[in-house]
């Protein structure tokens, strides 16, 4: 099951202001929407819902085909799901792990350049210096690797009588935030269980649009999960702009930054926060 979540975007101004002493972006960075380039104030975002098999080459072929389909529908930013090239499970991660760059990321680089899109490469098991990570690689329209993000919060849970799962048996956590810039907005990255940690989302909300690629175990979301790796209920959230069923598909929606600007002016929570009483701060850049 993959549930792809995208919060409504926060616009990065053409010349981002310096951070405040607390590490947060300044108020200008949060509210200066009137300087939006009208031509760049909207873009089409696509989420890909993929039926993952045990054959890596098939996963890569189908993922690239769906990326091309998204591009033909006008998508400028395309996102794959978590573990799109591998079955999800601790026993699979060592077998399917790759270095970056490697086979899977090379394919993503090529298709991003072919389609001229920003491609958020879901995640793959990454091997580096003897450790394994759950890693998202992002590519620009020229195929360049822009940034990679390693999942910060590993999925270690114990639901008595239902499921016990420990990503930490094989994976190591990342140790940094990751963002990248597009002509439309700044994008911050998260993977699956990261969604449960509000502080991460709040920090990213100060910096840009947040995307999270997810694959939830069956027992945690009853009524929404399908067997094996069939992702279901992919959605664009803030307001729910679009939602898929359980089939392999491309989910597109137009993101209107001007509408976001209007909402943030109507409900100005950034300027209403009680910074004299509390703060959420990043300890690393």
């Amino acid at each position: 099951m993959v549930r792809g979540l995208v919060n409504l975007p926060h616009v990065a101004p053409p010349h981002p202001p310096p951070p405040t002493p607390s590490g947060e972006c300044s108020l200008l960075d949060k509210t200066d929407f009137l300087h939006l380039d009208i031509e760049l104030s909207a873009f089409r975002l696509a989420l890909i819902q993929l039926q993952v098999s045990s054959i890596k080459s098939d996963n890569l072929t189908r993922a690239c085909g769906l990326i091309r389909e998204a591009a033909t529908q006008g998508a400028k930013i395309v996102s794959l799901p978590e573990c799109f090239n591998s079955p999800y499970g601790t026993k699979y991660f060592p077998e399917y792990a790759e270095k970056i760059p490697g086979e899977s990321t090379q394919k993503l680089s090529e298709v991003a350049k072919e389609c001229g899109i920003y491609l958020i490469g879901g995640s793959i098991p990454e091997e580096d210096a003897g450790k394994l990570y759950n890693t998202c690689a992002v590519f620009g329209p020229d195929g360049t690797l822009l940034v990679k993000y390693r999942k910060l919060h590993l999925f270690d849970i114990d639901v008595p009588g239902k499921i016990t799962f420990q990503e930490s048996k094989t994976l190591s956590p990342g140790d940094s935030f990751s963002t990248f810039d597009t002509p439309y907005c700044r994008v911050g990255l998260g993977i699956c269980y990261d969604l449960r940690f509000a502080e991460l989302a709040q920090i990213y909300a100060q910096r840009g649009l947040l995307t999270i690629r997810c694959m939830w175990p069956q027992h945690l979301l009853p009524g929404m999960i399908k067997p094996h790796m069939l992702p279901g209920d992919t959605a664009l959230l803030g307001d729910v702009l679009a939602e898929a069923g359980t089939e392999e598909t491309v989910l597109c929606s137009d993101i209107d930054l001007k509408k976001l600007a209007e909402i943030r002016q109507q409900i100005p929570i950034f300027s209403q926060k009680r910074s004299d009483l509390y703060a959420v701060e990043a300890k690393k850049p």
Side-chain angles (χ1 to χ4, degrees), residues 155-166 193 220:
F155 191 51
D156 288 1
I157 64 162
D158 184 8
V159 181
K162 293 185 177 180
I163 182 173
T164 297
F165 191 86
Q166 288 185 295
Y193 197 45
L220 297 187

Side-chain angles (χ1 to χ4, degrees), residues 2 48 50-64 80-89 92-100 102-108 121-127 133-136 215 228-229:
V2 175
I48 290 174
L50 185 67
Q51 171 72 66
V52 177
S53 76
S54 60
I55 303 173
K56 183 188 290 188
S57 59
D58 287 352
N59 297 330
L60 293 175
T61 297
R62 291 203 323 282
C64 289
L80 288 166
E82 180 186 21
C83 283
F84 80 92
N85 73 340
S86 163
Y88 181 83
Y92 299 110
F93 297 149
E95 177 184 354
Y96 286 78
E98 303 177 15
K99 291 188 178 295
I100 296 177
E103 177 187 3
S104 296
T105 51
Q106 180 60 35
K107 293 288 187 184
L108 297 186
S123 76
I124 66 170
E126 178 200 11
E127 189 279 323
Y133 302 91
N134 190 342
T135 302
C136 173
M215 187 172 292
H228 192 45
M229 292 294 113

